Amino acid sequence: MQIKDREQLEGGRERVTVVPESVDDLWHLQYVLEPGDRVAGDTTRRIQRNDDQMRDTGGEREHMWVAIAVDDVEFHKFANRLRVGGEIVACSREDQLGFHHTLNVEARDELSIDKWFKPDQEARLEEAEQATENPDVAIATVEEGQAHVHTVAQYGTEERATITGTTGKGEYARGRDELFLELGTVLRRQDADAIILAGPGFTKQDAYKSLEQNEPEVAEQVTMVDTASVGDRGVHEVLKRGAVADVQQETRIESEAEYIDELTRRIAQGAKAAYGPEEVEKAAEYGAIEHLLILDDRLRKERGPEGEWAIDVDDIVRTAEQKGGEVTVFSSEFPPGQQLSNLGGIAALLRYRLE
């Protein structure tokens, strides 16, 4: 996610101009936008007249800029778009004011958002922005005599290093080992969350054994993938197979799973944990929350008219953060999020046990 501009408005509202760069960014935005926000961007529209009849333009749509007061937000994962609907409150054609319009937001579309940002929404934008700036996956492609290291960010891939060495085994083994050692050093410096080790044949297995021996922390992050090529072509094969997306998803799932495992362990032991809105609200009031866990779908629902809880979810989030607690918003699409849903959609790891 690119954050191109920020502007403070009257009444504490803020205008943020963003450019989503991936489906992940669109997914983040669905939890930032909510009814009452104002969203603006370029769009196309068949012109609506005041008599509610469509002008005969042969099905053609006109390009224009619109700002809408948000009524509903829908993320369409398989269509790679975010649909934001509402009444037109500003437009490059004044005769369209007051009509309903839906902005179909796709990757690379610039969007202006005016709203009162809540802390977790600010954090979500920052998370999306950092995901673009800091590559979280490295791809190492290896064959006899050469290795290439690329990093993957949401905007694409970048080559970080090309390493060459002596081919073969036997009397040339030292050169081969040196290549693997240098590869391990380069991978360690990338500080990636996950590493894909790819290439043809068995060379990558030998490279992995070298990492296990000399860079064990790097080796723990490795997933191996078979490819016919190395370098740019090998990276293309890895991306085409969806290996990077799988690894990124697994990394997030692992992080959320650690919190859920710790939570269920504490619950089983009757230790420092709380779950359900009432218990978590009580823990927040006492300043006992060390880490608040909340499901994205539940957070969004409780902020709208369909909310079911008797407590204010934003008060819990705000109080937990003000008293030094951390907040993690779980994805409802992954198994840890489903486990959290079974516990009421909200839970907390506590600093001390509540009597």
Side-chain angles (χ1 to χ4, degrees), residues 1 25 27-34 37 73 113 115-118 120-125 300 303:
M1 181 96 69
D25 289 342
W27 177 78
H28 281 302
L29 283 176
Q30 77 166 320
Y31 294 106
V32 172
L33 300 177
E34 55 194 334
D37 296 345
V73 181
I113 304 168
K115 63 177 289 143
W116 287 283
F117 282 90
K118 301 177 177 69
D120 64 283
Q121 293 167 342
E122 292 274 15
R124 189 175 281 270
L125 283 182
R300 185 177 179 187
R303 283 173 168 163

Side-chain angles (χ1 to χ4, degrees), residues 111-231:
L111 203 64
S112 174
I113 304 168
D114 294 7
K115 63 177 289 143
W116 287 283
F117 282 90
K118 301 177 177 69
D120 64 283
Q121 293 167 342
E122 292 274 15
R124 189 175 281 270
L125 283 182
E126 291 174 5
E127 176 187 345
E129 184 181 31
Q130 290 170 2
T132 300
E133 294 175 348
N134 302 321
D136 55 1
V137 178
I139 301 176
T141 53
V142 185
E143 65 179 359
E144 289 298 336
Q146 61 178 305
H148 306 263
V149 176
H150 290 69
T151 52
V152 183
Q154 294 184 8
Y155 58 81
T157 62
E158 181 177 352
E159 185 171 4
R160 298 289 182 174
T162 295
I163 308 164
T164 58
T166 311
T167 60
K169 298 184 180 181
E171 63 181 299
Y172 299 111
R174 182 168 177 236
R176 193 171 187 262
D177 290 343
E178 287 177 355
L179 185 148
F180 293 155
L181 286 172
E182 186 174 351
L183 173 63
T185 301
V186 171
L187 289 174
R188 173 165 42 81
R189 289 173 179 169
Q190 301 310 311
D191 195 27
D193 294 327
I195 297 167
I196 295 174
L197 183 60
F202 296 100
T203 308
K204 60 183 174 294
Q205 279 90 344
D206 292 338
Y208 178 71
K209 291 177 183 177
S210 174
L211 292 175
E212 282 188 310
Q213 182 177 352
N214 300 292
E215 300 283 355
E217 292 184 1
V218 172
E220 289 178 359
Q221 298 173 302
V222 168
T223 298
M224 281 194 282
V225 175
D226 288 321
T227 59
S229 307
V230 297

